[in-house]
Structure formats: structure tokens, C-alpha cells
Amino acid sequence: MTSLPSYTSATLVNEDVSLLKKQEQTTIKGINGTSPPTNSSRRAERPSLTKCSRLHGRAKEQAQLWDIHQSNIQVKKEQRRTSKVVLVRGPRGCGKTELVRRTLQGGAYVHKKEKQHYLTTTNDNTASTSISYCNQSNQGHLMVWKSDPQTLLQIGPGVGAAMERLVEDLLSRSEDEWQSLQQHFWTNAKLDAIQIATLLLSCPQLKPLLVNPALVVSPPPSAAAAGSLQQRRRQEDRSEEVQPFSRPEYRLDYSAYRTLLRAISSVDFPMTFMTDDFNWIEPNSLKWVMNRVADLHTEGALFVGTFTDDDDPAGDEGGVSLWRQTIEEWKQQDHVEVTEICLQNLDESTTHDMVAEMLMTDNGSVAAISSWVYQQTNGNPQYIEELLLGLRNEGLLRNSSEGDESGWILDLEQASASATIGTTVEIAPVSAYLAKTKLAKLPEALQEVLKVAACLGSLFETHLVSSAMSSSSGADSTTTETSLELAKEAGIIVDCFGSFTSKRACRFVHNSMHEAAISLVGTKQSEERAHFHLVMTRRLLRNLSAEELEADLLTVSGQLIFGAGAIKRKEEKYQCAQLAYRATQGCVRLTSFKSAHKSISFAIDMLEADTSNHAWREEYDLTLAIFNAAAEVAYANGDFELVEARVGAVMKFGRSFEDKLQANCTKLCLLGSTDTIDEAVELGFALLDELGEPFPKKPSRANILYSMFKTKSLLKGKSDEVLLRSPVMTDGRVIAAMQVLNILFTSVFLAKPIVAPLLATRMVQLSLNHGFCAYSCAAFSVYGMLLCSRGTYVKEGTRFGELSMRLLDRFQTKEFIPRVFVSVYGYIHGWSRPFEQSFEPLRRGYRVGLETGDIAFAMRSAILYIYYSFYKGKPLSVLAEKRAVYIEQVANVHKEATILMSSPLFYTIDHLMGLESVYSLHHKVDNLSWSQYQTIIIEFIQGDFKNAVLAGRQCNQVPYAGFNLALFYMFEGLANLALFKESGKRGLVAFARRRLKTLDRISKQAAENCLGNFLLLEAELSSLSPRNHKDTVRKYLFAIGLADSTKSLFEGAVAHEHYGRYLQSCGKKTAAASSLSHLQTACSLYRQWNAYPKADALQSEINKKAECETKS
């Protein structure tokens, strides 16, 4: 057989078919009347066929996909903030996956006009130009993972395998490519020590890439040594105990994945993410894909998804309600461009071309055969290939020479009988053909192995197949291994994963083969298939060790759910419910709440708790645990109605306060996430009373001062090292009280901010008196935040913020990262460090919050990030983009809380840009005066100083005001001075001086973040006295210089505008030109900041002044 050309070499691979083999005259003896061959001759001859070296009939689609790929790289070069998504749809077997692979993998698709990279072949009949491929750079990355119906209940199996193959690909690069990749990695990756440590923990084999080449001095490798470099990279630091991305805690480590992908992807090394069978993607992988599409910092990245039109998991929550909804959301987002490429089966003419290439002859000599093939396959490329190969293997299609004639002989009658598959609506025709002609003819033992493997998924681990096959019937691992080897020899399965995997795994050669294998088990909804899955589950539970079962629990529970229809006995249903509950816990640990919902819903179905109460009587502890877990999972998924239903069941059937406590905590989270914050506060204090931690109903200032004094007394003389050596909290009721206090603090923070210090100090006191627990991380972070408020005890507050970070490491509590980061990086570090250092931690808090289900604090992290970007004068359009990326995902889950915290800020962004906002500046619960603070900015910039002053007078004095208030104090002071110039009221100047005094104190604590605000207000106050002209000019120039050094468009525009107006007010002709220059600079900065209405108004004012100057 003619060997196939390589698609990854530097040579052209689309050679003219006529160059591969001399054209042969083809006849169909069964059609023209010649008698068919005998069985002996059929067995003696095996015709030589070749698989197609190119895609037929896909030139237009290839060019379209390549153009999208190239335009995406150009977009990244121009630093435009856009993600591109390509959806390739079509019937099964039409070549969707091959289209992407052959166009984008390894090298680059070559347009037919680029003469130096293509080979032109002309056919007299079609006069068409061929399409070819060339490995121009071999520097791009194609990361492909497979989804299928059998893995909907698992978590990220395809993504994990794809990451392993990506690592293998990286370590297999040539030395020149490796050096280029490593240089890019260290030039653009900007990894910190924590990110490098995360990557090394999750994948130690990446150590060669993570070693900074600038720190290593070594001579270049010799030619002899260069050949072994790739193997040495694979072997370096290889550990059998730690495989890449295989440990459960790293299997879906989004932080490690994102860091690696950002570091290696660029316009020179473009990354393409491809999901094969996107319509069957499981929820956690879908979340991973959505994050990759939303990540605008992965340079050169392109996402491609393939799916089959008639293979829609209708009614399945993991299918339609997720993947189709995701596509529609992408289409609605401004930063995502979605392109659909629709493939159809080949037409008859193109089918003739494909058949001719496979038979290595010309179109005319195989016209009769190709016409018959087209009728059988309807032009499906995969079906054409499998049909011809199948007929060849059966001896029904052969190449023979008789006298002077030579050609192809087809036994039409027997071929038609072999190709007849009947009608089926459940599987594709090509799958039905493979099931009938290839799989059904295999030995029965091999068929059983393939059925088990197919039930595990298109990608499966062989030890699970062995365990599911082992029974009293006598099958053992040796027999299973032998069967798998036979399946590989038959071209049914292939080995997969890279060389690092600790467990052997295989996959079916393509989707149709997997579909054919699973069709042997029975139809989807048949009792036969359900019973098969149930038998597999029983064997897996019996044969897997405790460690193996824990590692493969989600796979086993998935088989159990598929076999639910065959479970009849009540005792077995209870056992299944317990297994599903364990699987739910595993899903929660891996932050896959959609998968957790499936598992816990199945557990409740097994208990039949929704239709009867016998489970509460017979299996009370198990039922209570399942319903508590169901309520928490529903909350993490944002299904508030289901939360109320599950909590209501616990309240109805729970036997004690302790049994109902966990459900009450979930309800407390629910109330705090909606517009019922007052109810949350009431419930929280009631729970604390029951737990022996009462609070005064109307706390006074004396209560707060006493609690603060008591806490400081307990901490006196204790260093951080002493505190970190404190024992672990063991009292269950105290731990429960810490949990309630931690949840309640957010609601009190919003509804009754004056009480917040009482809760924070109580958590610290409980930790000091009873030992530390995971909740102590949040306790010390909010305590540090309170100490830093208004710049009073910044040093002490910073100390306890750092202590809370060390407690995170001690307790390894990833779920507390968002809460701690909000306090530390949102309210503490800004007093002593440039706030730019907090941007990345806040982004991390957002991502971790989404992963762990702490949506409320993910939202707070995102809002703080956007707010402080606004505070630092970032362009408003960029903030609007970040709002779309960060906030809209969580707005659907916690809508009321999102409006409560973000609406005033978002309204301000839209209003300053001159856009009509869907957000409101005011809301019904505003004890923190966010609306008034934003009103000060809006009214001042618009020139309505009276309303700006009025808004400032209405602001409440909260007990934990942060350094960010410097911006509002500056605008409030400026508004008072501007109003004084209009009204002459001296009291306004006195108020501005008080604000300046406050800014002076704040700027001494947070000079990097607040000094510019102080200097501008000081210059404006100085401008009131004509005798201070030189000093005033100096202060204005200081303010302008500081704004320029920090690149704050916002502060720079305001400083230039006020300096220009001051120069104008001096009345000197020499200052007039300088005044217009500064006003014009302010106008330009306002426009760069995207405050278009303000820029237009200022430009109009400048034009009028210029006209007056000209006339005078």
C-alpha cells in the first residue's frame, strides 16, 4: 500500500494523484455482466486502497477558517479586545474535525495564490486548482478535547487529557523552536513565584520551560546532543507519583491552566482551542471554555467547536440549557465574534473525486463504482471511506488483471447486501454500517469488552474496563488486555495520552466507531442498556480498591445514573443515593456545581423523598445530609427557588436545632444575596442567640468601643508566630457560631454598617479563646480592614491582613480566598502600597469565587477591581468591557446583590460616556452612601456644584471608610470651593479646608494612591488668595506632574482644567494662551478617558474663548 505523506513535515503533501500511481482502468464486473469472483480468488486478493491525503469539497470552508485564524492573529497584533469563536456544524462523518485539524494543526493552511507554498494540479474535467498544506512554522498549538454523552456526568476528562497532550507537544519541540518558545515565555508571561509554583505542582515536567534562560549560562548543544534534548526534557524530574494534571486537586486547576496558556500563546505561537462534539460538553469543561473565550489576555487564541445538528441532547440540562445558551450569550457580547461554518455531505461529482483518489485512479474509470457508492452513502466522507475499506476487507472490491484488461471489480449483489443497514433514527448511517459489518462480526468476548469501553466514553482507562469485565464468569484483566490489543489491530481503538500518564488509556478512532460500539448495548432508553450500566456499576464497586474508587468515583456514579432505570430494590436505591452523595462531595471539591446538581438530584430521586417521607424515617442521617448538600449546590448554581424547597424540607423534617443549622446557614446566604438583607440580619442574630453568642438589639457606640478594647487586650503581647501556633478550634457550637458570623457579616456590612465592628471583633475573640479554624482567616481580614478605616491604625490593620493570608496557607482553604482578598487587597493594602499591586489578586479572587461557588464575593472582587480602575483613571470604555466580562456572568445568579453593590458605579460609567444606562444611580438600601459618592463626581464634572455639595452633605459616616474616599473628598472640596466662587459663602471654604485636612492625613498613609487628590485641592484653596500666585502655580504643576506620572487620565484632565481656569481668572494677557493650552489638554484627556459629553462641552467653551480672544 502507498504510504501516506506526512502532514507535519516541511514538504508539500497534496501530490497529484496521477503521480502516486499509474492510472488503472476500472470496471465493475458485477454491473456489466461479468461473473463475480469466486471465494478463493476473493481471499487470495486484497486490493490496495489509500486514505485520502486531502479534504474533498472543502476548499471554501478551509479558506474561510484560515482567514478567520489569520484575522484573529491580526486583531491580537493590533491589541483589539476581541475573542473569536468558530462553530463548525454538520452531520456526523462529514469531516468537521478533520477540517480543523488539517487547516490549523502544526503548520499553516496555504492559500492557492501563494505559489511558493502550493502545488498546482489540474484535472481536465474540473479544471480546478488543488489545495495544499505546508508546515511553515510548526510553532502554533492546537489543543483538542473530545466530549461525548457518556462523560456528561464526569468533570473535565477531555480537558485534562488535552492538557497532557499539550505538555507532550511542548516538550517535543525542536531546539530552535524550544528556545523561541522559552524566550517568549519569559519575555511576555510575567509570572510571579506563586504562579510558577502552581505550574510546577500541577505539572513538574514543565520545569525546563519554567527555568529562566537568562539565569542559566551554558554552551550551545552539539549536533549529536541536540537529538536527545527532547527525550531529556521528558525525563527531567519525571515522577511516577505526580503526573501532569492528574492529581484531583490539579485536574481542573484553572489557575494553572490559564497561566500556562497565557504564557505560551502569542501571535507567533497562536493557540487554537477545539472542542469536538461541543454539544456534549460537560458543565465544568464548558465553564473552562467560557473563561478562555472571555480571557482577552491570551494572545492569538481562537476557539473552535464542532457539533452535529441531529445530535442534540434535548431536554438534558447538561446539553441544551448550557451549550446552546452559551452560544447565544456569545452572540450577544460585543467582545466576542461568532462565525458558523456549515458542512454538508459531498455532492456526486466530489464523491467521484474522493473514490478515485482512494482507488488511486482517474474519475472516469471508476464512475460506475462511485455512483453506487454515492447512492449508498449520500456523499458522507467518512461513510465513503469506511464503505470502501470494508468492501476491500470483505473481498467484495478487488483489483484484478484479466488478459489485457486491468481494473477494479465490485461484486454488486453481495456489496449491496453488505451495505444495507436498514433504517434507524438513533445513530448515524456510518455508525450503523460499522456496527453491522465490523463490530458485529467480532468474537463475542471482544464485543463485550468494546461495549464496556463504549459505556465509559470515547476515551477510557483500561483498568476500568478490566474491573467492569471481571465477574464470576471468568473474565480477567489478561483476557481484557488481549481483547483490547485485538481491537487496536482491527483499527477500532488507539492508545492515547502522552508518555507521562500513570494509567493506560485508549480511545475509539472516531466518533462514529464509538457510536457503533455503544449501539451494541441497546437503544438509549432501553431497559437492556440501563441493566448493562447497572451491572457495570456493581462490578466496579466490587472490584475497585478504596483508593481506586475514590479516584474514579465520578465515573462510577455516572454509570450508576445511566443505569437508574434498572434499580428496583429499596436497599440498593439507598446505597445508590449514598454513592451519589459521595460523588456530589467530589464535584463540590472540584467546584463543578452543575455536575454536583446532577449527582445530588439523582440521590434524591433514589430516596424518592420528593414523593414520600419514608426515607426521612428509614435513613434520616443520609437524607438530611443529601438535602443539606442539595440546598448548598442549588445556591451555588443560583437556583434560589430550589434552595427554598430543599431548605424547607429540612425545616419540616429536621429533628433538632443542630440538624437544621446547616440549612439555616444556606438560607442566611440566600437572604443576603437578594433584596431581603434585613431578614438575613434578623435570622443571623436569632441563630447566634441559639448558639450562645447573643448581641445587643440596639448596639451603642460604647458597645463597639468596649468590644474593640477587649479584642486589643486579648491580642496584646502576641506575635504573629505565637498566633499561628494557636490550637485548632474543636468546639462544634463555636465553629457553627463562627460560620454564622462569617456569613452574617456581609449582610450587616450592607444593612447595618454600625454593627459590623461587633461581628468582626467577636470572630477574633472566639478564635483567640477557642482556637483557630478556617473561618478565622476571614475574621482577621475584616478586623484588619476595620483598623485601617480612615487611616487610624494602618500598621496594625496591615499586620492582621497579612496574618489572614498566612492563615489561608495554614488551613489550605481555597474557598475563603475571595473573602480574604476583598478585605486585604480591597481595603487594607491601599493604605500602604500602590493599588496597581492589588489588581491581579482581585482578579484572582473573582476567578476563585466563580470556581468555588462563592458568587457573592466573586462579584465584590470584580466590582472593587473595576472601581479602583475607575479611581486610577483608566479609560471608561475599558471599564465597560470589563463590566461585561466580569459582572454579567454573576448578575444572573445574584441579581439583587449585584444591583445593590454595582449599580451606582455602573451608572456613573455610562453617564460619563454619554450613554443611556440600564443601571440606576439610587437604590433602596444605601447605608454605605455609594449613590451619594457617585453623584458628587457626576454633578461636579457636569458643573452642577450645588447638587454636588448637597450630595456630599447627605453621605453617611460609615465606620470602615477606606482610602478610596480620598477621591470623593477631593471632589467634595472642589465643589464647595466652586460654589463659594458663585455664592461667596465663607462656610463653604471652611468645609473645604476640613476636607483638605482629612486628605492630608489620608495621603500621609497612602501617598501613592491619594497624594494627587490632596495636591489638587490644596492648589485650588491656594488660588483663592491672589498673593499666593507663585505658590498656587507650583502646587497646580505638582498635581499635574503627579497625575502624568501615574498615567491617570481622570486626575490629569481635572488638574489641567482647573489650572487653566485659574490662569484665565488671573486676567493677565500673558496667561491667556497658557490657559487655553491647559484647557485644550484637559479636553483631550477627557476624550481619552471617554467622557465625551464633558469633552464636547469643554471644547465648545474653548472655541468661544478663542473667538473672543481673536476679536479682542
Side-chain angles (χ1 to χ4, degrees):
M1 181 179 293
T2 305
S3 62
L4 293 180
S6 172
Y7 297 113
T8 58
S9 67
T11 59
L12 300 175
V13 300
N14 187 38
E15 301 180 9
D16 189 356
V17 175
S18 62
L19 299 178
L20 298 177
K21 187 173 182 179
K22 182 179 179 180
Q23 294 183 355
E24 296 179 306
Q25 180 182 2
T26 304
T27 58
I28 304 182
K29 303 299 182 179
I31 292 179
N32 63 19
T34 305
S35 58
T38 62
N39 290 335
S40 60
S41 64
R42 183 181 298 141
R43 288 191 298 270
E45 299 180 11
R46 281 295 180 266
S48 178
L49 272 72
T50 180
K51 292 188 177 182
C52 293
S53 62
R54 64 187 177 96
L55 293 177
H56 289 265
R58 303 299 185 220
K60 177 181 177 181
E61 290 82 1
Q62 282 186 280
Q64 183 182 5
L65 180 57
W66 181 250
D67 288 343
I68 294 171
H69 178 261
Q70 291 300 296
S71 66
N72 183 60
I73 294 176
Q74 186 62 33
V75 163
K76 302 302 182 182
K77 284 183 177 179
E78 297 173 1
Q79 297 184 344
R80 284 183 278 161
R81 299 176 179 274
T82 304
S83 295
K84 289 184 179 290
V85 174
V86 179
L87 303 172
V88 184
R89 58 189 300 178
R92 185 173 296 282
C94 70
K96 301 180 292 295
T97 305
E98 281 300 298
L99 173 72
V100 180
R101 285 184 181 277
R102 296 201 183 194
T103 307
L104 302 180
Q105 187 172 30
Y109 164 79
V110 181
H111 194 277
K112 59 185 178 181
K113 292 183 180 180
E114 299 174 356
K115 295 182 179 180
Q116 68 273 28
H117 294 303
Y118 75 93
L119 175 66
T120 302
T121 58
T122 303
N123 185 292
D124 294 336
N125 297 327
T126 61
S128 63
T129 303
S130 68
I131 301 297
S132 62
Y133 300 87
C134 170
N135 185 16
Q136 292 174 319
S137 64
N138 197 31
Q139 291 180 333
H141 313 285
L142 177 61
M143 179 177 168
V144 184
W145 61 92
K146 176 75 173 66
S147 301
D148 65 71
Q150 304 307 119
T151 59
L152 269 177
L153 303 172
Q154 299 178 35
I155 300 182
V159 176
M163 286 300 301
E164 290 184 347
R165 290 195 293 272
L166 178 62
V167 172
E168 178 76 5
D169 172 68
L170 291 175
L171 299 182
S172 300
R173 297 294 173 122
S174 69
E175 186 58 24
D176 290 341
E177 293 168 349
W178 179 263
Q179 290 180 359
S180 298
L181 179 64
Q182 195 177 39
Q183 185 64 36
H184 162 76
F185 189 95
W186 282 103
T187 302
N188 302 316
K190 299 179 181 178
L191 301 179
D192 58 29
I194 295 177
Q195 291 171 318
I196 292 176
T198 301
L199 282 173
L200 285 175
L201 284 171
S202 55
C203 186
Q205 288 76 18
L206 284 175
K207 183 177 179 180
L209 182 64
L210 298 175
V211 175
N212 191 336
L215 304 179
V216 180
V217 179
S218 59
S222 63
S228 62
L229 281 174
Q230 296 147 355
Q231 183 63 27
R232 281 160 49 196
R233 289 194 211 109
R234 293 190 183 96
Q235 297 297 332
E236 186 171 350
D237 288 318
R238 182 170 178 175
S239 170
E240 295 182 358
E241 290 75 21
V242 183
Q243 305 300 333
F245 304 105
S246 59
R247 289 168 55 183
E249 60 266 37
Y250 298 118
R251 186 65 174 176
L252 281 177
D253 193 322
Y254 295 110
S255 171
Y257 284 3
R258 185 192 65 258
T259 301
L260 175 62
L261 296 175
R262 279 185 179 179
I264 66 174
S265 183
S266 68
V267 294
D268 298 319
F269 297 85
M271 170 71 71
T272 299
F273 305 103
M274 176 183 168
T275 299
D276 195 9
D277 277 352
F278 183 57
N279 48 322
W280 289 112
I281 190 170
E282 50 87 21
N284 235 45
S285 293
L286 178 59
K287 182 170 69 173
W288 189 87
V289 167
M290 293 173 67
N291 289 338
R292 299 285 65 73
V293 172
D295 184 6
L296 302 178
H297 299 281
T298 305
E299 297 181 357
L302 173 69
F303 172 75
V304 181
T306 69
F307 62 94
T308 304
D309 290 326
D310 56 355
D311 202 8
D312 190 345
D316 193 312
E317 189 176 358
V320 173
S321 63
L322 292 177
W323 75 277
R324 284 204 182 278
Q325 179 183 357
T326 300
I327 292 175
E328 292 304 317
E329 289 177 357
W330 282 338
K331 291 179 179 179
Q332 299 299 321
Q333 294 175 2
D334 294 335
H335 68 282
V336 180
E337 295 181 10
V338 179
T339 304
E340 290 193 13
I341 298 177
C342 184
L343 299 185
Q344 300 295 337
N345 288 333
L346 306 180
D347 57 27
E348 189 166 2
S349 174
T350 310
T351 301
H352 292 339
D353 294 339
M354 182 175 178
V355 173
E357 182 180 351
M358 289 193 66
L359 299 181
M360 293 181 289
T361 184
D362 60 81
N363 290 11
S365 59
V366 293
I369 291 180
S370 60
S371 295
W372 179 83
V373 169
Y374 179 76
Q375 293 175 2
Q376 295 294 323
T377 63
N378 196 31
N380 185 274
Q382 190 177 65
Y383 197 177
I384 293 171
E385 186 173 282
E386 293 293 347
L387 177 61
L388 291 176
L389 292 174
L391 293 174
R392 179 204 64 180
N393 292 333
E394 292 184 70
L396 302 178
L397 176 65
R398 63 192 185 92
N399 193 350
S400 178
S401 298
E402 296 183 5
D404 295 334
E405 295 185 0
S406 64
W408 288 92
I409 300 175
L410 176 65
D411 186 339
L412 181 61
E413 182 177 351
Q414 293 193 42
S416 298
S418 175
T420 302
I421 57 176
T423 59
T424 177
V425 296
E426 187 163 287
I427 62 175
V430 60
S431 304
Y433 173 77
L434 289 170
K436 175 187 175 183
T437 62
K438 193 165 190 175
L439 302 187
K441 295 180 180 180
L442 296 172
E444 184 176 348
L446 179 53
Q447 288 188 45
E448 289 299 314
V449 171
L450 291 176
K451 288 194 289 186
V452 169
C455 288
L456 292 171
S458 61
L459 184 151
F460 55 90
E461 293 181 343
T462 57
H463 81 283
L464 291 177
V465 178
S466 299
S467 297
M469 287 294 299
S470 298
S471 65
S472 58
S473 60
D476 56 24
S477 60
T478 304
T479 304
T480 301
E481 291 294 330
T482 302
S483 298
L484 291 174
E485 290 299 323
L486 292 174
K488 282 189 281 187
E489 292 177 6
I492 299 171
I493 63 174
V494 294
D495 285 319
C496 67
F497 287 0
S499 61
F500 298 127
T501 182
S502 57
K503 295 181 181 178
R504 184 185 169 198
C506 299
R507 64 173 175 85
F508 286 89
V509 291
H510 48 65
N511 299 345
S512 300
M513 190 67 75
H514 176 229
E515 188 177 58
I518 203 168
S519 69
L520 300 176
V521 182
T523 59
K524 290 180 180 179
Q525 304 300 327
S526 65
E527 293 185 4
E528 180 185 5
R529 182 179 290 193
H531 183 264
F532 192 88
H533 283 291
L534 180 59
V535 171
M536 282 182 58
T537 305
R538 290 169 177 167
R539 291 178 178 177
L540 289 170
L541 291 174
R542 182 173 62 247
N543 297 323
L544 291 175
S545 66
E547 294 77 11
E548 290 175 327
L549 179 59
E550 186 66 26
D552 298 307
L553 185 59
L554 301 180
T555 301
V556 176
S557 65
Q559 296 301 312
L560 180 61
I561 293 176
F562 284 126
I567 304 174
K568 304 300 181 183
R569 294 185 298 109
K570 183 186 298 185
E571 293 77 9
E572 189 170 22
K573 288 185 177 182
Y574 288 158
Q575 294 175 359
C576 293
Q578 187 172 28
L579 181 65
Y581 172 66
R582 290 176 57 191
T584 301
Q585 292 176 311
C587 292
V588 171
R589 283 195 299 271
L590 293 174
T591 68
S592 178
F593 298 104
K594 294 293 184 182
S595 298
H597 171 70
K598 287 179 174 296
S599 295
I600 204 66
S601 297
F602 172 76
I604 291 177
D605 290 341
M606 289 293 98
L607 294 174
E608 299 178 356
D610 286 335
T611 57
S612 64
N613 301 330
H614 62 80
W616 285 100
R617 296 191 300 270
E618 299 172 3
E619 292 288 341
Y620 175 78
D621 292 337
L622 175 62
T623 306
L624 178 66
I626 287 175
F627 270 81
N628 276 327
E632 294 177 6
V633 169
Y635 174 77
N637 286 320
D639 191 344
F640 292 167
E641 292 185 2
L642 187 58
V643 174
E644 293 179 351
R646 300 310 186 204
V647 169
V650 176
M651 294 298 105
K652 180 178 179 181
F653 297 105
R655 296 174 181 174
S656 66
F657 170 79
E658 287 75 14
D659 291 347
K660 299 177 182 180
L661 180 60
Q662 193 59 43
N664 273 317
C665 288
T666 305
K667 184 179 180 180
L668 188 60
C669 293
L670 173 65
L671 294 174
S673 300
T674 60
D675 59 350
T676 54
I677 295 179
D678 290 334
E679 294 182 31
V681 173
E682 182 179 351
L683 174 61
F685 283 133
L687 293 176
L688 290 171
D689 284 341
E690 288 283 346
L691 291 168
E693 296 295 334
F695 281 81
K697 296 193 178 295
K698 293 184 179 181
S700 62
R701 181 177 178 82
N703 296 132
I704 297 173
L705 292 176
Y706 173 75
S707 185
M708 294 288 290
F709 175 77
K710 181 179 179 181
T711 304
K712 287 188 175 184
S713 298
L714 291 172
L715 288 167
K716 187 176 181 180
K718 295 182 179 178
S719 65
D720 290 351
E721 286 66 27
V722 171
L723 292 174
L724 288 170
R725 290 196 298 268
S726 298
V728 175
M729 188 180 294
T730 57
D731 191 323
R733 291 184 70 85
V734 178
I735 295 175
M738 289 286 289
Q739 180 183 9
V740 174
L741 286 165
N742 184 55
I743 299 172
L744 182 61
F745 182 84
T746 302
S747 298
V748 170
F749 182 94
L750 300 174
K752 295 183 178 181
I754 193 66
V755 186
L758 284 178
L759 272 65
T761 52
R762 183 69 63 87
M763 284 190 285
V764 173
Q765 292 167 18
L766 291 175
S767 298
L768 295 173
N769 291 328
H770 298 275
F772 284 6
C773 63
Y775 299 105
S776 301
C777 304
F780 280 96
S781 68
V782 295
Y783 178 65
M785 178 186 74
L786 294 175
L787 290 176
C788 286
S789 66
R790 303 188 180 279
T792 48
Y793 302 101
V794 173
K795 185 177 180 180
E796 293 85 343
T798 302
R799 172 202 168 189
F800 291 114
E802 294 296 333
L803 178 63
S804 69
M805 300 289 289
R806 296 177 69 178
L807 288 173
L808 280 177
D809 296 333
R810 174 184 175 182
F811 290 99
Q812 294 293 307
T813 49
K814 182 179 180 180
E815 63 272 18
F816 283 93
I817 286 178
R819 295 172 179 264
V820 173
F821 278 24
V822 162
S823 298
V824 174
Y825 293 103
Y827 292 95
I828 295 177
H829 275 191
W831 288 105
S832 56
R833 304 178 187 180
F835 195 77
E836 288 81 353
Q837 296 181 9
S838 297
F839 283 161
E840 179 54 35
L842 287 174
R843 284 196 294 262
R844 184 188 176 199
Y846 169 80
R847 292 189 299 264
V848 174
L850 292 183
E851 294 170 14
T852 59
D854 193 352
I855 308 299
F857 275 87
M859 174 189 61
R860 285 163 176 78
S861 299
I863 292 172
L864 282 169
Y865 177 85
I866 294 175
Y867 171 72
Y868 291 126
S869 297
F870 174 87
Y871 176 81
K872 297 303 293 184
K874 302 298 182 183
L876 297 174
S877 60
V878 174
L879 302 189
E881 290 178 5
K882 293 184 183 298
R883 175 181 65 191
V885 173
Y886 290 129
I887 302 302
E888 289 178 1
Q889 294 186 51
V890 300
N892 295 328
V893 180
H894 292 268
K895 189 173 182 180
E896 293 294 339
T898 302
I899 292 175
L900 178 64
M901 295 206 57
S902 61
S903 182
L905 172 61
F906 293 169
Y907 175 87
T908 302
I909 293 173
D910 291 336
H911 188 83
L912 292 175
M913 294 176 67
L915 303 176
E916 184 177 351
S917 181
V918 298
Y919 301 98
S920 174
L921 181 59
H922 303 281
H923 46 73
K924 59 184 180 182
V925 180
D926 190 16
N927 295 298
L928 303 180
S929 301
W930 290 318
S931 301
Q932 284 75 20
Y933 290 141
Q934 299 299 332
T935 301
I936 295 172
I937 295 177
I938 292 175
E939 300 295 352
F940 179 82
I941 290 178
Q942 290 179 339
D944 192 343
F945 306 123
K946 183 177 181 180
N947 283 335
V949 171
L950 180 62
R953 299 295 193 272
Q954 294 175 346
C955 290
N956 297 327
Q957 296 298 314
V958 296
Y960 46 80
F963 74 93
N964 51 298
L965 288 181
L967 180 68
F968 301 116
Y969 286 165
M970 180 194 74
F971 277 111
E972 190 178 10
L974 293 176
N976 278 270
L977 293 178
L979 190 58
F980 162 73
K981 294 175 183 179
E982 294 178 358
S983 64
K985 295 181 179 180
R986 300 298 302 179
L988 297 170
V989 177
F991 186 88
R993 292 189 186 281
R994 289 198 297 272
R995 285 292 181 242
L996 180 65
K997 185 177 180 180
T998 305
L999 278 174
D1000 184 25
R1001 180 171 54 82
I1002 293 176
S1003 63
K1004 289 177 180 177
Q1005 297 285 354
E1008 296 90 344
N1009 302 312
C1010 307
L1011 183 59
N1013 306 138
F1014 168 76
L1015 290 175
L1016 183 56
L1017 183 56
E1018 185 182 38
E1020 194 72 8
L1021 271 168
S1022 179
S1023 69
L1024 297 179
S1025 176
R1027 292 176 298 179
N1028 297 334
H1029 175 69
K1030 290 184 178 181
D1031 190 46
T1032 301
V1033 170
R1034 181 177 57 84
K1035 291 176 180 177
Y1036 272 123
L1037 292 177
F1038 278 159
I1040 290 173
L1042 188 58
D1044 291 342
S1045 66
T1046 59
K1047 299 181 181 180
S1048 174
L1049 299 173
F1050 186 12
E1051 294 182 3
V1054 175
H1056 277 285
E1057 180 186 2
H1058 281 263
Y1059 185 41
R1061 295 190 185 281
Y1062 168 72
L1063 292 176
Q1064 186 181 24
S1065 67
C1066 291
K1068 298 179 181 180
K1069 292 184 178 181
T1070 55
S1074 181
S1075 170
L1076 288 177
S1077 174
H1078 281 282
L1079 290 175
Q1080 191 63 58
T1081 301
C1083 182
S1084 175
L1085 291 173
Y1086 277 126
R1087 199 169 299 280
Q1088 293 178 48
W1089 190 46
N1090 307 131
Y1092 301 116
K1094 173 64 176 180
D1096 292 341
L1098 186 57
Q1099 186 64 59
S1100 177
E1101 182 182 343
I1102 293 171
N1103 293 338
K1104 290 180 180 179
K1105 293 181 185 296
E1107 290 178 6
C1108 294
E1109 290 291 334
T1110 303
K1111 291 179 180 179
S1112 62

